[in-house]
């Protein structure tokens, strides 16, 4: 069963609206930025409905290769519909209930008119109470997929963007917990091999080693005096390297 994480006040309000929509025969539009949970909410409203991308669905309608009626469909990126009359006629003639998503808040007026209700999901960083439950959900998913029973000792939680970045950071946490020096060196080798070009390869890629080393040293030793001592560098050399990599530190 599809779930919609709702611990923040606004998310609980959104979930309550979704519960009402389950029993109403009306079209609904869900808007919001990438990764805020539009598709999850749509699937929560209508659990077993087919999901279509707007462009693909429009092509199928135009080519007359889709034959469905008296049902509910989820349409992703409804704002990408360009032949609006064709789409509206298809919806009306086949008694289709539409639950649609869009990254745009405003649609073409004619297209917008088919929706009786619009639900806007705000960015994840404005729904702080939802972050930890989402992280736990992704952690469980990562553990099952990667076959790792225990949580990593340190979870990398990136919430600067959206749920996609959060999920990615959680998966990275599990991967980092299970890989060693050989895997890290292999990843670096493959990255450098794919991107190496020109005559300054060492200078171009030395930041991959130095920047993480300096960042880790800053976290562990705090002061430049202790950093220099434990890195085996004199303070002048350390300051030069910190200045060189300042955008990455």
């Amino acid at each position: 069963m599809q779930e919609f994480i709702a611990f923040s006040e606004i998310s609980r309000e959104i979930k309550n609206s979704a519960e009402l929509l389950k029993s109403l025969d009306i079209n609904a539009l869900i808007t919001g930025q990438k990764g805020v949970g539009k598709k999850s909410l749509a699937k929560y409203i209508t659990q077993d409905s087919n999901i279509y991308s707007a462009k693909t669905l429009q092509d199928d309608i135009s080519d007359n290769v889709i034959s469905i009626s008296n049902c509910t469909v989820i349409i992703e990126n409804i704002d990408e519909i360009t032949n609006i009359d064709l789409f509206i006629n298809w919806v009306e003639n086949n008694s289709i209930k539409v639950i649609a998503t869009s990254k745009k808040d405003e649609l073409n007026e004619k297209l917008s008119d088919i929706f009786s209700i619009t639900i806007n999901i705000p960015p994840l960083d404005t729904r702080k109470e939802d972050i930890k439950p989402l992280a736990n959900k992704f952690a469980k998913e990562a553990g099952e997929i990667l076959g790792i029973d225990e949580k990593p000792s340190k979870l990398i939680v990136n919430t600067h963007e959206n749920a996609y970045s959060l999920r990615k950071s959680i998966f990275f946490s599990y991967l980092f917990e299970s890989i060693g020096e050989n895997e890290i060196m292999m990843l670096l080798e493959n990255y450098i091999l794919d991107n190496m070009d020109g005559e300054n390869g060492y200078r171009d890629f030395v930041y991959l080693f130095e920047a993480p080393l300096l960042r880790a040293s800053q976290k562990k030793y705090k002061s430049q005096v202790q950093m220099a001592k434990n890195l085996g560098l004199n303070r002048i050399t350390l300051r030069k390297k910190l200045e060189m990599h300042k955008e990455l530190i």
Side-chain angles (χ1 to χ4, degrees):
M1 181 177 177
Q2 178 65 39
E3 61 177 327
F4 180 75
I5 300 295
F7 284 79
S8 66
E9 182 178 355
I10 183 62
S11 293
R12 290 197 299 269
E13 291 175 1
I14 289 170
K15 191 171 184 178
N16 288 337
S17 297
E19 288 287 352
L20 290 174
L21 283 171
K22 289 181 178 182
S23 59
L24 297 177
D25 189 23
I26 59 175
N27 299 324
L29 175 66
I30 304 168
T31 64
Q33 299 174 4
K34 177 182 177 182
V36 295
K38 299 187 297 295
K39 185 175 178 180
S40 294
L41 184 64
K43 291 169 69 176
Y44 180 77
I45 294 169
T46 174
Q47 297 283 337
D48 300 319
S49 296
N50 290 332
I51 303 173
Y52 300 92
S53 71
K55 286 184 177 180
T56 301
L57 178 61
Q58 180 174 280
D59 289 342
D60 288 347
I61 295 171
S62 180
D63 295 338
N64 199 29
V65 296
I66 184 169
S67 179
I68 58 174
S69 61
N70 299 299
C71 64
T72 302
V73 298
I74 296 172
I75 304 176
E76 294 187 278
N77 301 315
I78 191 74
D79 51 283
E80 295 179 358
I81 292 287
T82 55
N83 193 334
I84 294 172
D85 289 331
L86 174 73
F87 173 72
I88 291 175
N89 287 335
W90 175 78
V91 169
E92 293 177 346
N93 292 338
N94 291 281
S95 301
I96 302 294
K97 176 181 175 180
V98 177
I99 307 296
T101 71
S102 172
K103 291 190 288 290
K104 295 182 179 180
D105 292 334
E106 295 185 7
L107 302 179
N108 173 281
E109 185 176 354
K110 186 182 291 186
L111 183 59
S112 182
D113 283 345
I114 75 168
F115 297 105
S116 301
I117 184 173
T118 297
I119 300 174
N120 178 262
I121 306 178
L124 182 59
D125 61 7
T126 67
R127 298 180 281 136
K128 302 294 186 182
E129 297 88 348
D130 295 335
I131 292 174
K132 185 175 180 180
L134 269 174
N136 288 335
K137 174 188 174 183
F138 296 146
K140 181 180 179 182
E141 181 183 345
E144 292 174 349
I145 291 174
L146 299 173
I148 301 174
D149 295 329
E150 296 184 3
K151 280 188 177 182
S153 55
K154 292 183 179 179
L155 278 179
I156 303 169
V157 180
N158 178 8
T159 60
H160 294 303
E161 296 179 16
N162 51 49
Y164 291 130
S165 61
L166 175 61
R167 184 175 184 268
K168 185 177 180 180
S169 69
I170 297 298
F171 269 73
F172 272 139
S173 298
Y174 275 78
L175 286 172
F176 288 153
E177 191 81 358
S178 62
I179 65 176
E181 292 180 0
N182 289 336
E183 290 83 3
I184 293 171
M185 291 176 67
M186 180 184 66
L187 289 171
L188 285 172
E189 178 186 341
N190 289 337
Y191 177 81
I192 293 170
L193 183 62
D194 289 341
N195 293 278
M196 183 178 286
D197 190 25
E199 299 178 352
N200 295 303
Y202 185 86
R203 183 180 299 175
D204 290 342
F205 293 104
V206 70
Y207 75 93
L208 288 173
F209 167 74
E210 289 191 338
L213 181 62
L214 292 170
R215 287 164 61 177
S217 181
Q218 276 186 331
K219 290 179 180 179
K220 186 168 185 176
Y221 301 118
K222 312 302 180 185
S223 73
Q224 290 189 14
V225 173
Q226 289 300 314
M227 287 174 66
K229 177 183 177 181
N230 287 279
L231 290 174
L233 299 173
N234 64 59
R235 291 169 67 181
I236 295 175
T237 301
L238 175 62
R239 283 197 293 270
K240 287 181 178 178
K241 290 186 178 296
L242 289 170
E243 176 64 24
M244 182 188 306
H245 302 301
K246 62 182 179 181
E247 294 182 359
L248 299 173
I249 298 175

